[in-house]
Amino acid sequence: MIRAVLLALSASLFTATSSVCQRLGAQEAEKGSGSGFDAEILVRLIRQPIWLLGILSMIVGFVLQVTALRYGGLAIVQPVLAFELILVFAYMSILGTRRVARRDWFAAASMTAGLGLFIYSASPTNGRDGATASSWWFAGVGVGAAVVVAIAVAYDWGGHRRTSQTRRAAALGVATGATWGFVAAVIREFGTRLDHGLGALFTNWSPYVLIATGVIAMVL
């Protein structure tokens, strides 16, 4: 369990670095462009070294997360990854990109401490290595529905008023969090297949679903 926690903390550091670097790169790429998303922004992002550093950090964080999930279950690893939020706040304070309010520090620290206390009190086990096909379908459809609802709220589908930027960011954040949560579960399935060789790995559905949902989560 200790090994899984340490690996998860390391993954948090790299994913926090990835979030900050991608945000800084996106800000530079957005200069001189219109509002909203366009295909050309991807070309401008690739030309930003800070954004590429963010992608590299995300890959390293992903590898560390896969490794952590080989030593501990989702109930252990995922709550530890919430420490990423405090690291992001620390980056923001050091870089001066945005002032972090005292209440935000308190909220992030309380959430992290609460999750740590939950892990210590619950003492979760690794659980089973696999889930039934019906469970995966239920989880996938449920997460997909949640993401669609969140996107609908973000862009006010069917409404007649403009959604505020704060509300849109919060709704898209919920969609992203739900998608990354599903990605974490698929990573666990993916990790269990590594022990069976490449043949068993690429004949399984997990790497393909992992790539698709990972791309969706990154775009969101």
Side-chain angles (χ1 to χ4, degrees), residues 89 99-110:
F89 283 175
R99 180 179 176 272
V100 182
R102 186 177 300 176
R103 66 175 181 274
D104 294 331
W105 279 110
F106 178 77
S110 299

PDB file of all heavy atoms in Angstrom, residues 89 99-110:
ATOM      1  N   PHE A  89      -2.310  24.669  -7.067  1.00  0.00           N
ATOM      2  CA  PHE A  89      -2.368  25.948  -6.352  1.00  0.00           C
ATOM      3  C   PHE A  89      -0.959  26.455  -6.047  1.00  0.00           C
ATOM      4  O   PHE A  89      -0.681  27.658  -6.144  1.00  0.00           O
ATOM      5  CB  PHE A  89      -3.159  25.791  -5.056  1.00  0.00           C
ATOM      6  CG  PHE A  89      -4.652  25.752  -5.253  1.00  0.00           C
ATOM      7  CD1 PHE A  89      -5.497  25.505  -4.186  1.00  0.00           C
ATOM      8  CD2 PHE A  89      -5.209  25.948  -6.499  1.00  0.00           C
ATOM      9  CE1 PHE A  89      -6.875  25.470  -4.364  1.00  0.00           C
ATOM     10  CE2 PHE A  89      -6.574  25.903  -6.701  1.00  0.00           C
ATOM     11  CZ  PHE A  89      -7.419  25.671  -5.626  1.00  0.00           C
ATOM     12  N   ARG A  99      -3.871  34.678  -8.249  1.00  0.00           N
ATOM     13  CA  ARG A  99      -3.829  34.632  -6.792  1.00  0.00           C
ATOM     14  C   ARG A  99      -4.792  33.565  -6.285  1.00  0.00           C
ATOM     15  O   ARG A  99      -5.942  33.499  -6.718  1.00  0.00           O
ATOM     16  CB  ARG A  99      -4.208  36.007  -6.222  1.00  0.00           C
ATOM     17  CG  ARG A  99      -4.193  36.054  -4.688  1.00  0.00           C
ATOM     18  CD  ARG A  99      -4.552  37.445  -4.204  1.00  0.00           C
ATOM     19  NE  ARG A  99      -4.628  37.470  -2.751  1.00  0.00           N
ATOM     20  CZ  ARG A  99      -5.728  37.191  -2.067  1.00  0.00           C
ATOM     21  NH1 ARG A  99      -6.845  36.881  -2.712  1.00  0.00           N
ATOM     22  NH2 ARG A  99      -5.723  37.229  -0.747  1.00  0.00           N
ATOM     23  N   VAL A 100      -4.305  32.746  -5.377  1.00  0.00           N
ATOM     24  CA  VAL A 100      -5.129  31.693  -4.782  1.00  0.00           C
ATOM     25  C   VAL A 100      -5.651  32.206  -3.442  1.00  0.00           C
ATOM     26  O   VAL A 100      -4.861  32.547  -2.554  1.00  0.00           O
ATOM     27  CB  VAL A 100      -4.324  30.399  -4.574  1.00  0.00           C
ATOM     28  CG1 VAL A 100      -5.212  29.300  -3.990  1.00  0.00           C
ATOM     29  CG2 VAL A 100      -3.706  29.937  -5.893  1.00  0.00           C
ATOM     30  N   ALA A 101      -6.967  32.261  -3.309  1.00  0.00           N
ATOM     31  CA  ALA A 101      -7.576  32.777  -2.081  1.00  0.00           C
ATOM     32  C   ALA A 101      -7.346  31.812  -0.925  1.00  0.00           C
ATOM     33  O   ALA A 101      -7.168  30.605  -1.118  1.00  0.00           O
ATOM     34  CB  ALA A 101      -9.074  32.988  -2.294  1.00  0.00           C
ATOM     35  N   ARG A 102      -7.353  32.380   0.278  1.00  0.00           N
ATOM     36  CA  ARG A 102      -7.122  31.558   1.465  1.00  0.00           C
ATOM     37  C   ARG A 102      -8.171  30.470   1.602  1.00  0.00           C
ATOM     38  O   ARG A 102      -7.869  29.352   1.998  1.00  0.00           O
ATOM     39  CB  ARG A 102      -7.126  32.452   2.709  1.00  0.00           C
ATOM     40  CG  ARG A 102      -6.745  31.716   3.997  1.00  0.00           C
ATOM     41  CD  ARG A 102      -6.702  32.687   5.168  1.00  0.00           C
ATOM     42  NE  ARG A 102      -5.721  33.738   4.925  1.00  0.00           N
ATOM     43  CZ  ARG A 102      -5.542  34.770   5.757  1.00  0.00           C
ATOM     44  NH1 ARG A 102      -6.287  34.884   6.852  1.00  0.00           N
ATOM     45  NH2 ARG A 102      -4.633  35.673   5.478  1.00  0.00           N
ATOM     46  N   ARG A 103      -9.418  30.786   1.264  1.00  0.00           N
ATOM     47  CA  ARG A 103     -10.491  29.786   1.389  1.00  0.00           C
ATOM     48  C   ARG A 103     -10.281  28.634   0.406  1.00  0.00           C
ATOM     49  O   ARG A 103     -10.668  27.495   0.681  1.00  0.00           O
ATOM     50  CB  ARG A 103     -11.855  30.444   1.161  1.00  0.00           C
ATOM     51  CG  ARG A 103     -12.081  30.965  -0.246  1.00  0.00           C
ATOM     52  CD  ARG A 103     -13.509  31.488  -0.429  1.00  0.00           C
ATOM     53  NE  ARG A 103     -13.765  31.966  -1.767  1.00  0.00           N
ATOM     54  CZ  ARG A 103     -13.496  33.198  -2.195  1.00  0.00           C
ATOM     55  NH1 ARG A 103     -12.957  34.075  -1.362  1.00  0.00           N
ATOM     56  NH2 ARG A 103     -13.740  33.559  -3.431  1.00  0.00           N
ATOM     57  N   ASP A 104      -9.660  28.917  -0.752  1.00  0.00           N
ATOM     58  CA  ASP A 104      -9.385  27.849  -1.718  1.00  0.00           C
ATOM     59  C   ASP A 104      -8.311  26.905  -1.186  1.00  0.00           C
ATOM     60  O   ASP A 104      -8.412  25.681  -1.341  1.00  0.00           O
ATOM     61  CB  ASP A 104      -8.938  28.453  -3.053  1.00  0.00           C
ATOM     62  CG  ASP A 104     -10.045  29.253  -3.726  1.00  0.00           C
ATOM     63  OD1 ASP A 104     -11.223  28.921  -3.503  1.00  0.00           O
ATOM     64  OD2 ASP A 104      -9.720  30.206  -4.453  1.00  0.00           O
ATOM     65  N   TRP A 105      -7.269  27.472  -0.557  1.00  0.00           N
ATOM     66  CA  TRP A 105      -6.249  26.644   0.077  1.00  0.00           C
ATOM     67  C   TRP A 105      -6.876  25.765   1.153  1.00  0.00           C
ATOM     68  O   TRP A 105      -6.577  24.571   1.241  1.00  0.00           O
ATOM     69  CB  TRP A 105      -5.175  27.520   0.717  1.00  0.00           C
ATOM     70  CG  TRP A 105      -4.135  28.040  -0.213  1.00  0.00           C
ATOM     71  CD1 TRP A 105      -3.959  29.336  -0.621  1.00  0.00           C
ATOM     72  CD2 TRP A 105      -3.093  27.291  -0.846  1.00  0.00           C
ATOM     73  NE1 TRP A 105      -2.892  29.430  -1.468  1.00  0.00           N
ATOM     74  CE2 TRP A 105      -2.330  28.202  -1.619  1.00  0.00           C
ATOM     75  CE3 TRP A 105      -2.725  25.944  -0.830  1.00  0.00           C
ATOM     76  CZ2 TRP A 105      -1.229  27.796  -2.375  1.00  0.00           C
ATOM     77  CZ3 TRP A 105      -1.635  25.543  -1.581  1.00  0.00           C
ATOM     78  CH2 TRP A 105      -0.899  26.457  -2.340  1.00  0.00           C
ATOM     79  N   PHE A 106      -7.747  26.383   1.970  1.00  0.00           N
ATOM     80  CA  PHE A 106      -8.386  25.637   3.048  1.00  0.00           C
ATOM     81  C   PHE A 106      -9.259  24.518   2.502  1.00  0.00           C
ATOM     82  O   PHE A 106      -9.250  23.390   3.023  1.00  0.00           O
ATOM     83  CB  PHE A 106      -9.227  26.586   3.914  1.00  0.00           C
ATOM     84  CG  PHE A 106      -9.961  25.900   5.031  1.00  0.00           C
ATOM     85  CD1 PHE A 106      -9.292  25.503   6.182  1.00  0.00           C
ATOM     86  CD2 PHE A 106     -11.325  25.649   4.931  1.00  0.00           C
ATOM     87  CE1 PHE A 106      -9.972  24.857   7.208  1.00  0.00           C
ATOM     88  CE2 PHE A 106     -12.013  25.010   5.951  1.00  0.00           C
ATOM     89  CZ  PHE A 106     -11.328  24.618   7.091  1.00  0.00           C
ATOM     90  N   ALA A 107     -10.017  24.809   1.452  1.00  0.00           N
ATOM     91  CA  ALA A 107     -10.904  23.801   0.859  1.00  0.00           C
ATOM     92  C   ALA A 107     -10.095  22.637   0.282  1.00  0.00           C
ATOM     93  O   ALA A 107     -10.432  21.465   0.487  1.00  0.00           O
ATOM     94  CB  ALA A 107     -11.771  24.434  -0.223  1.00  0.00           C
ATOM     95  N   ALA A 108      -9.013  22.955  -0.434  1.00  0.00           N
ATOM     96  CA  ALA A 108      -8.192  21.904  -1.036  1.00  0.00           C
ATOM     97  C   ALA A 108      -7.505  21.054   0.032  1.00  0.00           C
ATOM     98  O   ALA A 108      -7.465  19.824  -0.062  1.00  0.00           O
ATOM     99  CB  ALA A 108      -7.150  22.522  -1.967  1.00  0.00           C
ATOM    100  N   ALA A 109      -6.955  21.728   1.056  1.00  0.00           N
ATOM    101  CA  ALA A 109      -6.285  20.997   2.127  1.00  0.00           C
ATOM    102  C   ALA A 109      -7.274  20.130   2.907  1.00  0.00           C
ATOM    103  O   ALA A 109      -6.959  18.990   3.269  1.00  0.00           O
ATOM    104  CB  ALA A 109      -5.584  21.974   3.073  1.00  0.00           C
ATOM    105  N   SER A 110      -8.479  20.643   3.143  1.00  0.00           N
ATOM    106  CA  SER A 110      -9.495  19.874   3.871  1.00  0.00           C
ATOM    107  C   SER A 110      -9.918  18.648   3.085  1.00  0.00           C
ATOM    108  O   SER A 110     -10.091  17.560   3.644  1.00  0.00           O
ATOM    109  CB  SER A 110     -10.708  20.761   4.167  1.00  0.00           C
ATOM    110  OG  SER A 110     -10.350  21.865   4.975  1.00  0.00           O
TER     111      SER A 110
END
